[in-house]
Each structure stands twice: as structure tokens, then as C-alpha cells.
Amino acid sequence: MKWSFPSLLLSLLLSVVRGHRIAPKVMILSMLTLASGRKFDGEADVWYNIPEFDVLTRNITIPGLSPLFPQVHCTKDGDICQLTLGEGEINAASSVAALVHSKDTSLEETYFLIAAIAGVNPKIATIGSVTFAQYAVQVGLQYEIDARQIPANFSTGYFGQGSTAPGQFPVFIYGTEVFEVNDSLRKLAANAAKAAKLNDTADAQQMRAQYAQNPDFAAANNVSGPSIVLCDTATSDTFWDGDLLGDSFDNTTKLWTNGSATYCTTQQEDSATLNALMRGAMTKLVDFSRVIVMRSASDWDRQGPGMTVVDQLLGPTPGFNPALLNLHLAGVKVVEMIVNGWDDQFSRGVNATNYIGDIFGSLGGVPDFSFGPAS
Ligand SMILES: *[C@@H]1O[C@H](CO)[C@@H](O)[C@H](O)[C@H]1NC(C)=O
Ligand SMILES: *[C@@H]1O[C@H](CO)[C@@H](O)[C@H](O)[C@H]1NC(C)=O
Ligand SMILES: *[C@@H]1O[C@H](CO)[C@@H](O)[C@H](O)[C@H]1NC(C)=O
Ligand SMILES: *[C@@H]1O[C@H](CO)[C@@H](O)[C@H](O)[C@H]1NC(C)=O
Ligand SMILES: *[C@@H]1O[C@H](CO)[C@@H](O)[C@H](O)[C@H]1NC(C)=O
Ligand SMILES: *[C@@H]1O[C@H](CO)[C@@H](O)[C@H](O)[C@H]1NC(C)=O
Ligand SMILES: *[C@@H]1O[C@H](CO)[C@@H](O)[C@H](O)[C@H]1NC(C)=O
Ligand SMILES: *[C@@H]1O[C@H](CO)[C@@H](O)[C@H](O)[C@H]1NC(C)=O
């Protein structure tokens, strides 16, 4: 770049204002780095030693991050950074809160790309696919009684806090039940990701064919293999499995969003991550319209035909490697879209046409997913 006097002045001024703060265009959020030295082990590892950019050029230690993953990793120019949050809701919320409120970061213009693996509902998508969510629903935030002790007329042991039976709207509201992100940005990201040639393997194809014996699982046995899918995500610290819990949380997802969200991927962090980002947005430290929730499908949320739930939970997961590889293959298209389109489009941001934020309207506006009992 050729420095003109005004641009030099501007850049000096910006660096005085920001000090040594990192101000990336894109922050990739991974949940786990295995750092075992083996390739393709963790979600973070797929962003290291890649041809497109090197996020291991600058490591910035930030107080309050996970003791296992204490550093943000950035490219030399600081445009692209990657942070591993740690797994589960508590780690995700704590790490993102530390990042957002750090004196070492300036994230007002940063796009956040959640890039992690998930379970998948075989009614909606298949293993290896890369999904982009508009809604994150905290399905674990409910009463639970053991399945062996549920009344004969209950369909599930999960029901809303303060309610008296499954299917009723919760009475005690915590505020983190549903988050909605920018749908225009989601669609831009998904379209960019469609340019990727996704990874697939013979083992994954074989697993899909087994699921295809159930006609409800047509999406699981897509002959064209994994694809980019627009569908929503469910969060719980409990790693649940099986068709009954899947259907129960599918019902919760529909109830809490008045049918707007599609129960598709299952994971342990996104509602927590989004809550911490939204808290940052409330004091303008973060632009909540710049958040992308990308989850690739590594395994099923329920057993296939001829399998027990435990077979599925503890059995082989041939979707795991393709799902990890596809985080990079699809995600890098999203990163490039933002960085390459920065001056023309993304620096200004994308105005969401849908409601964004939590169930309270904390960022302004009124939730369009009708959280509340049906009137
Ligand atoms: C940044 O940290 C990673 C390990 O987390 C290391 O491999 C890399 O060499 C570090 N980079 C620098 C410039 O120190
Ligand atoms: C279940 O049955 C109990 C009585 O045994 C009744 O009080 C309750 O309303 C029923 N709940 C539902 C959801 O039907
Ligand atoms: C997927 O990745 C594996 C592991 O690198 C590789 O062996 C395989 O050829 C890839 N498949 C496709 C379709 O790219
Ligand atoms: C199969 O994948 C293609 C894209 O590869 C998609 O358009 C189609 O909707 C998928 N079919 C099902 C049943 O999911
Ligand atoms: C889900 O809701 C449907 C419709 O109300 C009900 O028939 C079904 O039993 C529910 N499933 C579970 C597991 O709660
Ligand atoms: C959603 O994102 C798009 C693309 O970045 C942006 O133009 C738009 O303003 C955003 N919408 C809202 C409501 O912020
Ligand atoms: C987004 O909306 C704001 C106000 O509603 C407007 O000032 C701004 O120009 C819009 N940005 C884009 C990129 O359309
Ligand atoms: C739920 O959605 C339906 C349309 O699908 C609408 O008629 C109804 O008013 C909505 N409920 C609430 C509580 O907004």
C-alpha cells in the first residue's frame, strides 16, 4: 500500500485511539483445540497451517480467557483472528465476555464467525453438512424429571420452568431462551460457503445409507452428499441423544419460537456465546448484526434404523473428520467474503431486515418469534 499523508495521519490517529488493541475484521470462534500434534483433531486446528492465511503470527494473551486457551491468534495484519472458547456454556460465555470487555480488543466492527461441529437431526440435514442458523434455542433450560418417573400422560421428562406439563410455555423466564441473528448476513455467508467443495468420505456415505432405511430421514441420505443448509441450532450443557429427546427438544424449539425455528443442529455453547456478544452490543462494544452461527454436522442427534441410542452415541462417527474439514473449507469462503469485500460492503455492515437479539428486545425492537404463550 502507498501511504498518502492523510491516510498516514488517519492511521496514526486510529492507532493512538486504539492503542495496541486488536481490531480484526473477522474473529473465528472455535470451541476446542486438541493441540495433540495430530492433524484435524480440533475445531481450532483446522485454521492452523492452512494456505489462505496464518493466524499463528500474532498471539495475544487476554486475561479471563480459558486457562487451556489463553491466547487470541491473529494474522500479521490483524485482520483475521481465531479464539478457542472451551466447551460448554460456562466456558463459552466466560471466554467471550473476557474477549469483548478486554482493554486489548476493539471489536465494534468485527464479524464473529462461530465455526464448530454439532450433532444433527437426520430429518433436516446429513453428516458433513455445514449449517447456518438464524435462531439459537437454549433447550436445556427446563425442568427435567427422570424418564422412569414421568407421569403416564407426559410425552417427555422436560417441561418449561413454572409450567405443569410438556407443551406449555415456561413461566419463569431467564432471558437466554432464544437468540436471533442477522438473516441477511446469514444468507450472504451461506451463499459464499456454497462455493466450497465440501469433504466427504465412503464411511460417511455408508452411514447415510443406513439412515435412509427410515423415510423420515430422507435428508440424511442426500445422494449429493453434504451441503450448505439454512437451519437452526439447539443448546444444552447435557450432550443428549436419541429420537425421544430429539423430538422433545424439537417441540421446545417450535414452542419457544412459535414455529419460526427449525430444530437441526445440537451443541453446547451457542446460546452462551450469543448472550455474551449481545451484552457487549448493549454498550456498543460489539455489533450484534455481525454475528454468524456456522455449525457443521459431525454426528446424529438420534439413532438410525436398527440401532439403539447407545449404539449411536458410543459408536463410530464417520462424519467427524469431514465436519472438521468442512469448517475450514466452507468457513474460509465466509472469511474471504468479508475481508475481500470490506471496503465495498462489509465495513459499513449489513442492516438486518429481521429482528436481532434476545427475547427481551435488549438491543431495541420487538422479537419477531413471538416468545410467549400463544394468545
Ligand atoms: C503462537 O502460538 C502457537 C501455539 O499456540 C505457536 O505454534 C506459534 O508459534 C505462536 N506464534 C508466535 C509468533 O509466537
Ligand atoms: C395428567 O394427568 C393428571 C391426573 O393424573 C392431570 O392432573 C394432568 O392435568 C394431566 N396432564 C396432562 C398434560 O394431560
Ligand atoms: C476428504 O478428506 C479425506 C482426508 O483428508 C481425504 O482422504 C478424502 O479424499 C477427502 N474427500 C473428498 C471428497 O475431498
Ligand atoms: C440434497 O442436497 C442438495 C444440495 O446438495 C439440496 O439442494 C437438497 O435440498 C438436499 N435434499 C435433501 C432431501 O435434503
Ligand atoms: C412433541 O409434540 C407432539 C405434538 O404435540 C407430541 O405428539 C409428541 O408426543 C411430542 N414429543 C415428545 C417427545 O415430547
Ligand atoms: C444484517 O447484515 C447486513 C449485512 O452485513 C447489514 O447490511 C444489515 O444492516 C444487518 N441488519 C441489521 C438489522 O443490522
Ligand atoms: C443501515 O441502517 C442505518 C439506519 O437504519 C443506515 O443509516 C445505514 O445507512 C444502513 N446501512 C446500510 C449498509 O444499508
Ligand atoms: C404464532 O404464529 C401464528 C402464525 O403462524 C400467529 O397467528 C400467532 O399469532 C403467533 N402467536 C403469537 C403468540 O404471536
Side-chain angles (χ1 to χ4, degrees):
M1 169 171 190
K2 195 166 162 287
W3 290 103
S4 64
F5 182 69
S7 83
L8 188 64
L9 200 66
L10 186 68
S11 128
L12 276 176
L13 204 65
L14 269 178
S15 67
V16 168
V17 171
R18 287 182 169 150
H20 60 298
R21 289 168 179 247
I22 54 166
K25 295 184 168 101
V26 184
M27 175 73 72
I28 299 163
L29 300 177
S30 317
M31 309 304 130
L32 186 63
T33 311
L34 290 186
S36 65
R38 286 191 295 146
K39 227 176 172 185
F40 311 136
D41 264 354
E43 291 153 347
D45 306 68
V46 301
W47 297 102
Y48 305 153
N49 307 308
I50 56 172
E52 294 88 359
F53 47 81
D54 183 3
V55 291
L56 295 179
T57 315
R58 284 174 67 192
N59 297 328
I60 301 101
T61 300
I62 293 188
L65 296 182
S66 161
L68 298 177
F69 317 112
Q71 294 188 318
V72 178
H73 301 289
C74 298
T75 54
K76 190 167 182 212
D77 61 10
D79 278 357
I80 305 167
C81 295
Q82 181 273 330
L83 173 64
T84 306
L85 306 181
E87 294 178 284
E89 294 174 63
I90 294 171
N91 281 319
S94 302
S95 297
V96 174
L99 177 77
V100 166
H101 297 279
S102 169
K103 62 177 171 36
D104 299 320
T105 61
S106 182
L107 306 173
E108 298 87 343
E109 297 189 345
T110 299
Y111 286 78
F112 293 87
L113 174 63
I114 293 177
I117 60 173
V120 71
N121 174 2
K123 292 178 178 173
I124 305 295
T126 197
I127 46 175
S129 288
V130 180
T131 71
F132 290 86
Q134 180 171 356
Y135 298 93
V137 179
Q138 193 186 9
V139 295
L141 191 63
Q142 301 197 65
Y143 287 150
E144 183 205 357
I145 54 177
D146 189 277
R148 290 162 294 191
Q149 296 171 327
I150 63 175
N153 60 359
F154 276 30
S155 59
T156 173
Y158 277 89
F159 50 113
Q161 296 184 131
S163 78
T164 58
Q168 295 176 9
F169 206 78
V171 174
F172 307 135
I173 304 301
Y174 288 11
T176 54
E177 288 82 355
V178 182
F179 288 96
E180 184 172 352
V181 301
N182 187 340
D183 183 42
S184 323
L185 178 61
R186 168 172 91 127
K187 289 189 173 132
L188 286 175
N191 283 337
K194 281 180 184 159
K197 188 186 174 314
L198 297 180
N199 183 265
D200 198 15
T201 62
D203 287 353
Q205 285 161 8
Q206 214 175 356
M207 174 68 88
R208 286 189 199 109
Q210 182 173 355
Y211 273 70
Q213 293 160 29
N214 180 343
D216 284 351
F217 300 160
N221 191 36
N222 198 325
V223 286
S224 40
S227 60
I228 306 297
V229 184
L230 295 174
C231 61
D232 300 303
T233 198
T235 310
S236 172
D237 271 326
T238 302
F239 193 127
W240 73 97
D241 201 295
D243 57 344
L244 293 179
L245 282 178
D247 285 347
S248 175
F249 291 148
D250 193 337
N251 284 349
T252 303
T253 299
K254 286 201 181 74
L255 179 67
W256 291 6
T257 64
N258 194 24
S260 297
T262 305
Y263 171 83
C264 175
T265 58
T266 65
Q267 39 71 35
Q268 298 172 299
E269 296 90 9
D270 292 352
S271 303
T273 300
L274 293 174
N275 192 51
L277 289 172
M278 192 204 69
R279 297 267 187 96
M282 290 173 71
T283 51
K284 305 264 187 279
L285 292 172
V286 163
D287 179 351
F288 198 73
S289 72
R290 300 185 180 206
V291 179
I292 300 163
V293 180
M294 180 179 79
R295 285 273 172 177
S296 64
S298 60
D299 54 350
W300 311 103
D301 78 329
R302 65 194 68 195
Q303 75 280 19
M307 299 167 91
T308 67
V309 178
V310 172
D311 286 344
Q312 142 60 19
L313 183 60
L314 305 182
T317 53
F320 185 74
N321 280 353
L324 282 178
L325 292 171
N326 290 340
L327 284 179
H328 165 248
L329 292 170
V332 81
K333 302 292 182 195
V334 178
V335 174
E336 286 170 347
M337 169 188 83
I338 293 165
V339 174
N340 298 340
W342 189 259
D343 289 342
D344 286 342
Q345 180 177 12
F346 289 96
S347 61
R348 290 192 306 278
V350 250
N351 281 327
T353 51
N354 61 304
Y355 170 81
I356 58 170
D358 64 356
I359 65 168
F360 294 145
S362 298
L363 299 176
V366 177
D368 58 3
F369 45 82
S370 303
F371 187 85
S375 45

